[in-house]
Amino acid sequence: MKFPVAVNMSNTSFKTTGEWRSINWRKLELRVYKLQQRIYRASQPGDVKTYRRLQKTLMNSWSARALAVRRVTQDNRGKKTAGVDGVKSLTPKQRLTLINKLKLGSKVSPTRRVWIPKPGKDEKRPLGIPTIKDRALQALTLQALEPEWEARFEPNSYGFRAGRSCHDAVEAIFNHIRYKPKFVLWV
């Protein structure tokens, strides 16, 4: 596996913040996507040994770890929310260090508990906010588990799935009943 040329892979010091900005994200996304496709294809017939091996490969991949850190520190809406450690944002140098520290099996930090109001009511509900490192680990794990489960889901299941919405469900129902009259039970 080739790494981006500008990134120093050792755990020693990193030269500048320009290294983070010079990473070819499209190339990393393509590498991770190809591994996810292989996990999906191995999961369809139920080849457990193969897709577990591929998931471990993905979890140890520098590309997947870099994308997970980027997603948590730059792309997500809650990127400026501090966990129990009080860290709100990371410098590019700290992001590169976090990529190398992401390993499964490390002990997770406790979550910060915040009480937020329920919409339209006077009650409040608890919200747990993990640290940035734990959020990055969750994003990394999601990258490995999602293709396995997408292969096993029913093709006409639309609830809480990536890339599917209520509009897709309505369209599927419409296409199914378009030519013959049928009954639809709306619950």
Side-chain angles (χ1 to χ4, degrees), residues 59-60 64-65 67-73 98-109 130-145:
M59 296 285 288
N60 293 326
R65 289 184 290 156
L67 286 173
V69 169
R70 180 179 182 222
R71 179 176 178 183
V72 168
T73 59
L98 180 59
I99 290 170
N100 293 325
K101 287 183 180 178
L102 281 186
K103 298 269 189 281
L104 267 187
S106 59
K107 188 171 171 81
V108 295
S109 305
T131 62
I132 290 178
K133 181 183 177 192
D134 294 338
R135 283 183 265 176
L137 266 174
Q138 289 173 4
L140 180 62
T141 308
L142 177 71
Q143 288 178 359
L145 291 178

Side-chain angles (χ1 to χ4, degrees), residues 36 39 43 51-52 55 58-59 138-151 153:
Q36 287 177 327
I39 293 168
S43 181
Y51 74 72
R52 292 277 164 89
Q55 284 174 331
L58 182 71
M59 296 285 288
Q138 289 173 4
L140 180 62
T141 308
L142 177 71
Q143 288 178 359
L145 291 178
E146 198 171 39
E148 173 195 349
W149 287 104
E150 280 296 322
F153 279 137

Side-chain angles (χ1 to χ4, degrees), residues 50-178:
T50 304
Y51 74 72
R52 292 277 164 89
R53 179 180 48 81
L54 289 168
Q55 284 174 331
K56 286 179 185 175
T57 303
L58 182 71
M59 296 285 288
N60 293 326
S61 159
W62 190 88
S63 302
R65 289 184 290 156
L67 286 173
V69 169
R70 180 179 182 222
R71 179 176 178 183
V72 168
T73 59
Q74 290 181 305
D75 297 343
N76 281 2
R77 242 178 51 197
K79 62 188 170 197
K80 297 278 188 201
T81 308
V84 77
D85 59 354
V87 178
K88 286 187 177 182
S89 63
L90 298 177
T91 64
K93 183 178 176 181
Q94 290 171 326
R95 290 181 199 140
L96 288 169
T97 307
L98 180 59
I99 290 170
N100 293 325
K101 287 183 180 178
L102 281 186
K103 298 269 189 281
L104 267 187
S106 59
K107 188 171 171 81
V108 295
S109 305
T111 58
R112 188 175 123 214
R113 183 60 58 135
V114 177
W115 291 89
I116 59 172
K118 287 185 175 180
K121 297 182 181 178
D122 293 335
E123 298 177 50
K124 292 189 174 191
R125 70 175 181 87
L127 175 68
I129 304 170
T131 62
I132 290 178
K133 181 183 177 192
D134 294 338
R135 283 183 265 176
L137 266 174
Q138 289 173 4
L140 180 62
T141 308
L142 177 71
Q143 288 178 359
L145 291 178
E146 198 171 39
E148 173 195 349
W149 287 104
E150 280 296 322
R152 294 181 185 193
F153 279 137
E154 290 289 324
N156 56 355
S157 145
Y158 292 91
F160 301 103
R161 287 181 65 185
R164 301 222 177 169
S165 67
C166 294
H167 297 291
D168 296 326
V170 170
E171 183 182 353
I173 291 170
F174 175 76
N175 287 333
H176 191 68
I177 65 172
R178 177 167 46 176

